Amino acid sequence: MKSLKIIVLAKQVPDTRNVGKDAMKADGTVNRAALEAIFNPEDLNALEQALRIKDMVPGSEVHLLTMGPGRAAEVIREGLYRGADGGVLLTDRKFAGSDTLATSYAISTAIGKMKYDVVVAGRQAIDGDTAQVGPQVAEKLQIPQVTYVEEIEKIDAKSMVIRRRLDNGFEVVKAPFPVLLTVHSSAPDCRPRIAKNVMKYKHARTLTELQDATEDYTRLFQDRPYLKIREMGVHEIEANVEALGLSGSPTKVKKIENVVFKAKEAKVINSDEKEIEELIVELIENHTIG
Amino acid sequence: MNNIIVYCETNGNAVADVSLELLTKAKSLANQLKVQVEGILIGNDLKGLEKTLFAHGANVVHKAEDKRLEFYQTLPHTSVVCEIIGKEKPQIGLFGASTVGRDLAPRVASALKSGLTADCTSLEIGEHYEKKTDTTYKDLLYQIRPAFGGNIVATIINPETRPQLATVREGVMKREEMDQPVKGKVKNWDVNEIVGKDDFVIEIIDRKVEDKKVNIKGAQIIVAGGYGVGSKENFNILYELADVLGGEVGGTRAAVDAGYIEHDRQIGQTGVTVRPKLYIACGISGQIQHRAGMMESSMIISINTDANAPINSIADYVITGDFAEVIPRMIRYYKKNSK
Ligand SMILES: Cc1cc2nc3c(=O)[nH]c(=O)nc-3n(C[C@H](O)[C@H](O)[C@H](O)COP(=O)(O)OP(=O)(O)OC[C@H]3O[C@@H](n4cnc5c(N)ncnc54)[C@H](O)[C@@H]3O)c2cc1C
Ligand SMILES: Nc1ncnc2c1ncn2[C@@H]1O[C@H](COP(=O)(O)O)[C@@H](O)[C@H]1O
């Protein structure tokens, strides 16, 4: 069977699950520096599905595509450590301020410059939980989408059989290539790093990273071209600049408010036997319980 | 006529709750804008379902019926919804934030090049002044949702593109039937003219959907646990309390992520929204995404070892202590004092 080209969409996100007290600046804006940048969790599930396709169809290749600032190259290295064959960092100042529509436009034009049979995204990114970029990339590429994927059951030359999770059940569908999948967190976790790959790729860098590096990588890169992480910007993807960044984003943030509690006057109850009994009796008497 | 359109999901022979909740909300927004509400129904056998939509305030029901549309599928539904929106030109389009709505709405938004805001917790009408261009936009849809770890609440607008699209989770809006059903009209759409063979390239081989097992949305008493409960076993203490009080157990996302409780029971912005008579929050800090789903409870009791947990500021009763000691006492004194 012909091997497959698989693209994994992976995003670097602030770890909103561990928001500490210093996450907000005094002026009410988010202090991104205080949040650790991580590989979006469901994108790791997506990477695992991609690697499984590669296991099922020998000779297949997995490439990551991530859009973000220079440091998002971290995500690509992480993917390489876990078994991916390569990656592209889509980065350009002109992408700043993109909403999901502008993001999916940029990503889909980048994909247009790559070869693919299957695009695998996470269901959603934890920084916004929108779950929009996957389906919107599929629409822009004019290919079908299969969302909430849990397992790829079978692959043949023309199609795959996929199990997807529904609200209270599941569905099994047969999808032709090319297709875009979004993977649900209930799909298997990603395999760990492979020591051999960590050795092989720990010096993988983008050109921008090289410019800031203290050591000279010229020789190393000549000997080992696979260490070069490809970067693409507006120019490389030949995108319509109007459709990118703020100007390509129909949604605007009108207002951001800090969350202020309207503090109620709460009755404070001691956790001892007597006060808890009094509370329970009060709740029974006013018919809240019982 | 630039109305408000609601995509109405069907399950079996009924219209999904979330769609009826959205129709109710759409009705009040439409009254403010002095426009009408339209509903979209897509399926195989939709006999009579328009009546439910009229009862919830729809003035027009768009029906697309076809044997091939028995089960939801992304591509044909996208084609039909885009066709209807393209012809009817609504100013606002609303979808449930269900597995169906969150699959469909982004694809539709992309095709229409419209802005879409997911998981709104509130929708309002308002205006916006844009300094750069000295333009005032009237009657915009404010799409309001918590963002960024819940430390902020963002109001999103789409000044230029129409329709303005949003998804809303089940339970967030209240559902109300009209005193008198609207005498609305049905508009039938010819599916064959809209969908092509390419819309059916994905084949459904097998499908199993059960009725909802847990219904925390309807529960009058909810005992909810957070990460502070510490383990799946510890949740049994909460189940015991819920059991004696005749309530249900819910949880925070942190508790769901940790595997203490199943996802069906998650309460909050990305779970269900509940409005019980009594909400007992155990080991819950009370981040805004959680509060968004429970703050309209009539009475809130917080049990937390931290006297300054944010949840305490919206609680009616605050018990500072370990839930594992407090709950058994509550159970004991309830049994002793109730007849
Ligand atoms: C986009 C987005 C969407 C989200 N959607 C949701 C959602 O729908 N629902 C949701 O819940 N969250 C949601 N979250 C997560 C939310 O921000 C919080 O992280 C989460 O609600 C915290 O859960 P928690 O209160 O259980 O955990 P924690 O914040 O860890 O709080 C644990 C609490 O337990 C207390 N405690 C510890 N031990 C004990 C004990 N023995 N007895 C009593 N108290 C104890 C601690 O003092 C603490 O207050 C979302 C986040 C994002 C970014
Ligand atoms: N900047 C990005 N770079 C790469 N992939 C992305 C990016 N943004 C979103 N995605 C993909 O789209 C999915 C859904 O993202 P979201 O719509 O932001 O919830 C993510 O899980 C990723 O797979």
Side-chain angles (χ1 to χ4, degrees):
Chain A
M1 191 186 145
K2 175 182 156 287
S3 60
L4 296 170
K5 292 255 187 289
I6 307 145
I7 296 176
V8 176
L9 302 183
K11 185 179 190 184
Q12 191 179 47
V13 292
D15 192 354
T16 51
R17 295 170 308 177
N18 294 308
V19 178
K21 298 261 179 296
D22 50 354
M24 300 300 289
K25 296 189 204 154
D27 63 358
T29 57
V30 175
N31 181 12
R32 280 176 186 264
L35 297 171
E36 198 194 343
I38 58 166
F39 200 120
N40 179 50
E42 281 183 317
D43 299 352
L44 280 172
N45 299 100
L47 175 60
E48 175 61 24
Q49 289 304 313
L51 293 171
R52 287 184 181 207
I53 299 174
K54 182 177 159 175
D55 294 342
M56 288 160 92
V57 187
S60 296
E61 277 182 34
V62 174
H63 289 262
L64 295 116
L65 173 60
T66 186
M67 171 172 147
R71 65 171 182 174
E74 206 53 56
V75 163
I76 293 173
R77 276 189 290 276
E78 187 64 44
L80 293 168
Y81 296 160
R82 296 183 193 235
D85 302 282
V88 173
L89 175 65
L90 184 56
T91 186
D92 201 305
R93 289 237 167 97
K94 298 215 167 63
F95 298 144
S98 293
D99 70 2
T100 65
L101 206 63
T103 301
S104 53
Y105 171 67
I107 290 178
S108 63
T109 37
I111 291 176
K113 299 283 167 195
M114 300 161 75
K115 291 208 181 85
Y116 69 96
D117 302 288
V118 187
V119 180
V120 194
R123 175 186 51 152
Q124 62 193 33
I126 59 165
D127 54 351
D129 274 358
T130 70
Q132 284 166 202
V133 170
Q136 297 194 322
V137 167
E139 193 281 331
K140 301 234 174 297
L141 293 171
Q142 290 293 300
I143 62 174
Q145 71 199 44
V146 179
T147 47
Y148 325 123
V149 170
E150 277 188 330
E151 194 191 342
I152 294 162
E153 297 185 345
K154 245 192 306 203
I155 305 182
D156 64 30
K158 286 214 197 82
S159 62
M160 335 198 242
V161 175
I162 304 160
R163 183 186 160 100
R164 61 191 293 260
R165 187 188 175 102
L166 300 180
D167 271 337
N168 296 295
F170 69 89
E171 194 172 80
V172 178
V173 299
K174 189 168 169 185
F177 302 121
V179 64
L180 180 141
L181 315 179
T182 79
V183 180
H184 194 269
S185 56
S186 58
D189 288 338
C190 191
R191 60 196 65 182
R193 296 175 174 184
I194 304 156
K196 197 180 78 199
N197 289 13
V198 177
M199 290 309 293
K200 179 172 172 190
Y201 288 114
K202 70 179 177 209
H203 292 298
R205 293 289 182 277
T206 60
L207 274 183
T208 316
E209 284 178 309
L210 280 191
Q211 283 159 11
D212 302 337
T214 43
E215 305 137 75
D216 185 6
Y217 277 82
T218 328
R219 270 296 302 279
L220 196 62
F221 268 56
Q222 262 164 16
D223 297 347
R224 306 185 206 162
Y226 57 81
L227 289 179
K228 203 182 283 172
I229 298 176
R230 183 168 169 206
E231 277 175 296
M232 289 199 216
V234 171
H235 191 67
E236 286 77 16
I237 60 176
E238 297 176 90
N240 165 15
V241 180
E242 276 299 295
L244 298 168
L246 276 177
S247 62
S249 300
T251 58
K252 312 275 178 224
V253 178
K254 173 173 172 57
K255 194 170 66 177
I256 286 196
E257 279 171 300
N258 260 331
V259 176
V260 233
F261 292 105
K262 272 191 265 139
K264 280 198 230 175
E265 210 37 64
K267 196 163 162 189
V268 177
I269 302 206
N270 206 316
S271 68
D272 67 23
E273 305 277 340
K274 180 166 152 283
E275 293 207 10
I276 293 203
E277 177 159 23
E278 281 167 13
L279 169 66
I280 293 292
V281 170
E282 187 182 328
L283 293 179
I284 292 173
E285 279 173 357
N286 68 22
H287 302 289
T288 304
I289 55 178
Chain B
M1 237 289 290
N2 303 138
N3 287 332
I4 302 181
I5 209 158
V6 178
Y7 172 82
C8 295
E9 234 170 277
T10 59
N11 38 23
N13 273 329
V15 182
D17 277 357
V18 66
S19 308
L20 301 176
E21 293 161 9
L22 284 176
L23 283 171
T24 305
K25 182 69 194 179
K27 191 75 194 171
S28 83
L29 295 174
N31 287 343
Q32 238 178 308
L33 294 168
K34 303 196 174 55
V35 298
Q36 297 198 322
V37 174
E38 307 182 20
I40 299 179
L41 277 174
I42 303 175
N44 174 21
D45 183 10
L46 298 169
K47 271 193 299 283
L49 288 187
E50 64 269 18
K51 291 202 196 77
T52 318
L53 271 55
F54 293 144
H56 287 81
N59 305 86
V60 181
V61 173
H62 301 281
K63 279 171 99 175
E65 279 182 291
D66 189 291
K67 271 204 305 295
R68 295 167 295 175
L69 299 177
E70 160 117 39
F71 298 114
Y72 170 79
Q73 281 195 283
T74 313
L75 298 177
H77 278 241
T78 303
S79 296
V80 173
V81 171
C82 287
E83 173 77 13
I84 295 175
I85 289 183
K87 291 265 163 66
E88 305 295 323
K89 307 211 179 330
Q91 54 179 305
I92 293 172
L94 304 177
F95 298 77
S98 57
T99 47
V100 167
R102 300 185 101 217
D103 179 86
L104 175 65
R107 184 126 189 158
V108 167
S110 175
L112 299 170
K113 299 194 168 51
S114 285
L116 166 66
T117 306
D119 288 340
C120 296
T121 49
S122 173
L123 297 172
E124 291 168 16
I125 302 294
E127 59 173 39
H128 175 67
Y129 172 69
E130 187 64 57
K131 242 192 260 146
K132 255 186 273 159
T133 52
D134 187 27
T135 322
T136 301
Y137 298 87
K138 286 222 157 60
D139 293 337
L140 287 180
L141 181 68
Y142 285 0
Q143 303 146 43
I144 301 165
R145 75 183 309 250
F148 231 89
N151 295 283
I152 53 182
V153 173
T155 302
I156 315 284
I157 49 171
N158 313 358
E160 297 287 350
T161 57
R162 294 291 175 275
Q164 308 163 79
L165 302 172
T167 71
V168 178
R169 292 212 166 238
E170 181 176 347
V172 172
M173 303 297 172
K174 275 198 199 118
R175 161 185 170 186
E176 267 162 47
E177 272 190 45
M178 314 281 293
D179 299 332
Q180 284 277 303
V182 175
K183 282 204 187 68
K185 57 173 196 265
V186 172
K187 194 164 167 185
N188 287 300
W189 294 72
D190 184 349
V191 174
N192 274 319
E193 296 222 321
I194 303 170
V195 303
K197 227 175 64 207
D198 285 353
D199 283 328
F200 295 96
V201 291
I202 293 198
E203 189 189 334
I204 300 178
I205 299 177
D206 189 11
R207 193 171 195 281
K208 199 166 270 152
V209 178
E210 285 167 16
D211 285 343
K212 256 195 240 152
K213 277 187 264 97
V214 283
N215 181 15
I216 52 172
K217 204 175 73 167
Q220 285 299 314
I221 296 176
I222 292 177
V223 183
Y227 193 67
V229 172
S231 71
K232 199 170 170 175
E233 291 67 47
N234 284 351
F235 254 87
N236 289 335
I237 309 175
L238 275 60
Y239 278 101
E240 207 182 318
L241 177 61
D243 213 36
V244 295
L245 297 181
E248 273 290 354
V249 174
T252 64
R253 176 148 115 184
V256 172
D257 284 348
Y260 301 166
I261 184 168
E262 65 266 38
H263 183 258
D264 289 5
R265 295 182 187 272
Q266 181 176 316
I267 293 167
Q269 185 199 346
T270 47
V272 263
T273 298
V274 296
R275 295 183 182 80
K277 218 162 58 173
L278 174 63
Y279 193 88
I280 307 180
C282 315
I284 294 178
S285 62
Q287 300 305 317
I288 190 183
Q289 291 92 349
H290 185 73
R291 294 200 312 272
M294 47 68 72
M295 57 193 181
E296 285 181 41
S297 306
S298 312
M299 182 183 290
I300 297 167
I301 300 178
S302 162
I303 308 173
N304 199 306
T305 41
D306 175 5
N308 297 315
I311 187 117
N312 291 355
S313 61
I314 59 161
D316 298 276
Y317 294 92
V318 168
I319 307 176
T320 302
D322 187 337
F323 81 95
E325 288 168 18
V326 174
I327 294 182
R329 284 177 197 153
M330 293 174 103
I331 295 172
R332 196 158 69 244
Y333 292 116
Y334 178 77
K335 285 186 177 156
K336 180 178 153 204
N337 290 291
S338 69
K339 273 122 239 150

